[in-house]
Amino acid sequence: KQEVTQIPAALSVPEGENLVLNCSFTDSAIYNLQWFRQDPGKGLTSLLLIQSSQREQTSGRLNASLDKSSGRSTLYIAASQPGDSATYLCAVPGGSGGYQKVTFGTGTKLQVIP
Amino acid sequence: DTEVTQTPKHLVMGMTNKKSLKCEQHMGHRAMYWYKQKAKKPPELMFVYSYEKLSINESVPSRFSPECPNSSLLNLHLHALQPEDSALYLCARSQPGPQFFGPGTRLTVL
């Protein structure tokens, strides 16, 4: 059974700092890895998707990397802003259930202090 | 149009009520998903429909009954729920590839 862990569980940083969020998964037979943000009580907003054959994806101030062999992904946020405050989740489809069997990580709650 | 819409936004129901949650997407994506999310926890997969057929049921209790009448619409029928079923219910679509989520329905069972 796929298990996905995110470290740290919570993070508080001053505005302007660069930061790294971590995602680890136990089953490397994944199709892709997707990063989301979730604001309190809201749905999930897709940030980046990395295909299993890729190493990195970038969107604006966000950069996500994937090392499938070691079961790790990182989300790098440059020059953090108060608007980045949210919970960040990684999600991996794959394993015995195929690409539709999606397992979410435990989440990192980020607070950016002005 | 990348939207997934969900109605209602909020729902309060008693344990003897029957209600339904609705999800719509107009991208023609093949797969549609229902997730349940409790407070401070990640979403948990409940059901997946692929080409309008149920492809994954994550051992969800029968008081939750999914339905996919067409490629744009996904319903979740609720009956005889328990207070512990109170949660945010999220719908998502995919091609496959990236998943796109709706805003969710906040369900409270009294």
Side-chain angles (χ1 to χ4, degrees):
Chain A
K1 178 187 173 186
Q2 178 75 275
E3 292 183 7
V4 185
T5 306
Q6 291 184 243
I7 294 173
L11 182 62
S12 184
V13 300
E15 182 177 2
E17 262 200 20
N18 302 325
L19 56 100
V20 175
L21 309 181
N22 297 290
C23 171
S24 299
F25 46 93
T26 55
D27 185 347
S28 61
I30 63 171
Y31 291 83
N32 55 57
L33 186 143
Q34 193 169 359
W35 281 95
F36 296 88
R37 70 172 278 167
Q38 186 174 31
D39 295 290
K42 305 291 187 183
L44 279 68
T45 300
S46 179
L47 297 174
L48 287 165
L49 176 98
I50 312 177
Q51 298 291 351
S52 61
S53 58
Q54 296 177 315
R55 300 280 295 184
E56 271 189 27
Q57 274 289 339
T58 298
S59 176
R61 294 182 294 109
L62 305 179
N63 175 275
S65 67
L66 175 64
D67 184 343
K68 217 173 79 160
S69 60
S70 67
R72 292 181 184 180
S73 176
T74 61
L75 179 67
Y76 175 82
I77 303 177
S80 58
Q81 302 171 358
D84 295 330
S85 298
T87 295
Y88 289 79
L89 295 153
C90 62
V92 289
S96 60
Y99 72 89
Q100 295 174 341
K101 171 78 171 160
V102 179
T103 303
F104 277 84
T106 46
T108 294
K109 185 174 183 179
L110 172 66
Q111 182 183 24
V112 181
I113 303 166
Chain B
D1 180 10
T2 58
E3 276 197 0
V4 176
T5 59
Q6 290 188 244
T7 53
K9 289 184 180 180
H10 301 276
L11 178 62
V12 179
M13 60 186 290
M15 289 190 285
T16 59
N17 292 157
K18 284 186 181 181
K19 297 286 184 183
S20 296
L21 308 185
K22 181 179 172 182
C23 173
E24 280 191 278
Q25 61 99 3
H26 298 285
M27 293 295 290
H29 281 187
R30 304 173 186 173
M32 295 183 77
Y33 306 71
W34 280 116
Y35 290 87
K36 173 182 178 180
Q37 186 178 27
K38 302 284 278 185
K40 301 186 188 302
K41 297 289 187 182
E44 293 180 1
L45 186 64
M46 299 175 72
F47 303 104
V48 182
Y49 274 83
S50 180
Y51 292 99
E52 301 161 45
K53 288 188 176 7
L54 184 64
S55 58
I56 294 179
N57 177 341
E58 289 289 275
S59 302
V60 179
S62 60
R63 57 185 183 268
F64 295 91
S65 176
E67 178 195 21
C68 189
N70 57 60
S71 61
S72 299
L73 186 58
L74 186 65
N75 297 318
L76 186 62
H77 303 297
L78 314 172
H79 173 55
L81 294 194
Q82 304 297 310
E84 60 264 29
D85 297 321
S86 298
L88 182 67
Y89 288 83
L90 295 162
C91 174
R93 61 170 174 80
S94 72
Q95 183 53 6
Q99 292 207 338
F100 296 96
F101 281 77
T105 293
R106 173 70 61 189
L107 174 66
T108 302
V109 182
L110 301 175

